[in-house]
Amino acid sequence: MKALLWQGVNELSVDEVPDPTMRNEQDAIIRVRKTATCGSDLHLLGGYIPFMERGDVLGHEFLGEVVEVGSQVRKHKVGDRVVVCSFVSCGRCWYCQQQQYSLCDNGNTNPAITENVWGFAPGGCYGYSHALGGFAGSHAEYIRVPYADQGAFTVPDGVSDERALFASDAAPTGWMGADLGGVKAGDVVAVWGAGGVGQMAARAAVLLGAERVIIIDRFANRLQMAEKYLGVETLNYQTQDVGGELLERSGGRGPDVCIEAVGMESHSTGPQYLYDQIKQQLRLESDRPIAAREAIYHCRKGGSVFLLGVYANLVDKFPLGALMNKGLTLRGAQQHGHRYIPMLLERMARGELVTEHLATHTMPLDEAPHGYNMFKNKLDGCVRAVFEPAR
């Protein structure tokens, strides 16, 4: 089969690889119909996640059709149209029982790597380095799905592939940020980043009853998209004073909940960007936490900050004093998608949650390297590139 392979820093190729095979009785084999780029993939492409190997298949957000099931799979049959959570979780361990699915004790087949780096191992993730299990990714014609009864979800008949695709990762990740960030009726919510996850976090905040939701970015097309499809307010940090605007729009207090959906390669217009860029390139820090710092500084006293953007290891100049003295609650997580995907599919079926607009560019899998170039460099207004393997 054909697949998109990581061949080194900023090097991708589409090549033939062996078809996936069943490894245990809980597996399913999925024929991929659509698979999307994600901003976190760019950290792999840029070499900021060091546990990649040449020939690894990328991709973790996908939808497809079941073509084979193991003898212990009960919820799915051949021919089912399913969307699959990007994280691999067993559904039985203590963490899964607490609905903290991305922390699954059994989903990561290479736990020693992250145990040494972070103290404990999270669950596994498709196509996201050997630190998170070394699973083959979804930018391929077929993919093996472990624990298929836990991670694959049947798509309702009335929901299109284009909409259901983003129930795999962007929508549940964004919803988790609003949910675990504590958004409630009447809140003022600020979201850093108007990519797929940031837009879904903003929409989740609206649906959870927030009075005002403000999304912050520098790309006009993304901000216009957020206004049009999400019904939220926007700020362009290149042309507006973010701190002053947030105070003005929150009665002088600051947002009740700040959601950071940018991650380890964040940008800014100030000298801190140059500082962080130099330190990251020299490997004196692994991540640029500019958006995380801003979220902490601008959140109201006693408010909540949730980190959705992916971080790998160490940051510099972290405002711990502001966090402690302002009495903030700081949380973060990889997505616990299994908790949210069934509900999100229902909302998609009712028309409450639309996601099709995120797929600004759709192309054959053979053109995936070009798609990633467009996505990385924001060419032609690319928000997400979606690949369709040949059928």
Side-chain angles (χ1 to χ4, degrees), residues 29-45:
I29 303 297
I30 308 297
R31 180 174 63 83
V32 178
R33 292 165 62 135
K34 289 184 181 291
T35 176
T37 60
C38 176
S40 61
D41 292 330
L42 300 181
H43 310 324
L44 303 175
L45 191 59

Side-chain angles (χ1 to χ4, degrees), residues 15-343:
D15 290 302
E16 291 286 335
V17 298
D19 289 357
T21 58
M22 305 283 284
R23 295 189 182 180
N24 64 60
E25 297 174 336
Q26 301 171 65
D27 286 356
I29 303 297
I30 308 297
R31 180 174 63 83
V32 178
R33 292 165 62 135
K34 289 184 181 291
T35 176
T37 60
C38 176
S40 61
D41 292 330
L42 300 181
H43 310 324
L44 303 175
L45 191 59
Y48 296 111
I49 306 293
F51 302 105
M52 294 291 291
E53 296 179 7
R54 290 185 185 275
D56 284 347
V57 181
L58 293 175
H60 59 263
E61 188 157 22
F62 64 103
L63 171 145
E65 178 183 331
V66 177
V67 296
E68 186 177 357
V69 296
S71 61
Q72 296 301 310
V73 175
R74 299 287 183 261
K75 297 181 180 179
H76 303 292
K77 64 183 184 302
V78 172
D80 283 355
R81 185 172 60 121
V82 296
V83 63
V84 180
C85 182
S86 61
F87 262 75
V88 178
S89 307
C90 73
R92 298 188 298 269
C93 71
W94 186 88
Y95 289 99
C96 287
Q97 292 301 305
Q98 310 308 308
Q99 295 191 310
Q100 298 176 337
Y101 295 101
S102 69
L103 305 180
C104 175
D105 271 335
N106 299 312
N108 188 342
T109 56
N110 294 327
I113 295 175
T114 44
E115 285 172 351
N116 287 326
V117 175
W118 299 328
F120 292 90
C125 181
Y126 297 102
Y128 212 80
S129 89
H130 293 265
L132 293 185
F135 293 97
S138 61
H139 295 341
E141 293 177 308
Y142 296 91
I143 185 171
R144 181 180 74 94
V145 174
Y147 306 113
D149 276 344
Q150 301 299 320
F153 300 85
T154 301
V155 178
D157 289 340
V159 180
S160 68
D161 284 4
E162 291 76 14
R163 181 172 295 185
L165 169 62
F166 294 103
S168 172
D169 187 274
T173 302
W175 195 281
M176 181 187 69
D179 178 34
L180 299 188
V183 174
K184 60 185 184 300
D187 278 350
V188 176
V189 178
V191 180
W192 274 257
V197 170
Q199 289 193 39
M200 291 298 98
R203 181 59 180 162
V206 171
L207 292 172
L208 289 171
E211 181 177 329
R212 302 185 79 166
V213 179
I214 304 124
I215 196 165
I216 303 159
D217 206 298
R218 63 189 169 119
F219 294 103
N221 68 300
R222 297 185 177 210
L223 296 173
Q224 291 165 2
M225 184 181 287
E227 292 174 347
K228 178 179 179 179
Y229 293 102
L230 311 178
V232 300
E233 303 174 40
T234 61
L235 281 176
N236 187 323
Y237 69 75
Q238 287 189 324
T239 60
Q240 295 172 279
D241 174 14
V242 172
E245 288 287 343
L246 290 177
L247 286 173
E248 179 69 24
R249 301 184 195 192
S250 60
R253 289 190 305 273
D256 301 287
V257 180
C258 291
I259 300 172
E260 189 271 4
V262 181
M264 62 188 290
E265 296 183 72
S266 55
H267 291 251
S268 80
T269 57
Q272 67 268 27
Y273 173 67
L274 179 60
Y275 170 87
D276 280 310
Q277 177 78 341
I278 292 172
K279 294 206 72 170
Q280 188 181 46
Q281 295 305 313
L282 293 175
R283 299 302 189 257
L284 297 175
E285 66 175 349
S286 58
D287 308 352
R288 299 196 301 264
I290 298 166
R293 290 192 197 111
E294 289 187 1
I296 290 170
Y297 284 132
H298 295 311
C299 191
R300 71 159 170 84
K301 294 180 289 185
S304 172
V305 176
F306 199 95
L307 303 183
L308 284 179
V310 170
Y311 288 89
N313 199 9
L314 302 175
V315 302
D316 193 10
K317 301 296 187 290
F318 185 78
L320 193 59
L323 177 72
M324 179 268 172
N325 286 287
K326 291 172 66 177
L328 301 180
T329 298
L330 175 66
R331 298 187 69 176
Q334 296 278 11
Q335 66 133 336
H336 305 313
H338 306 67
R339 182 194 300 196
Y340 302 109
I341 292 173
M343 173 270 294

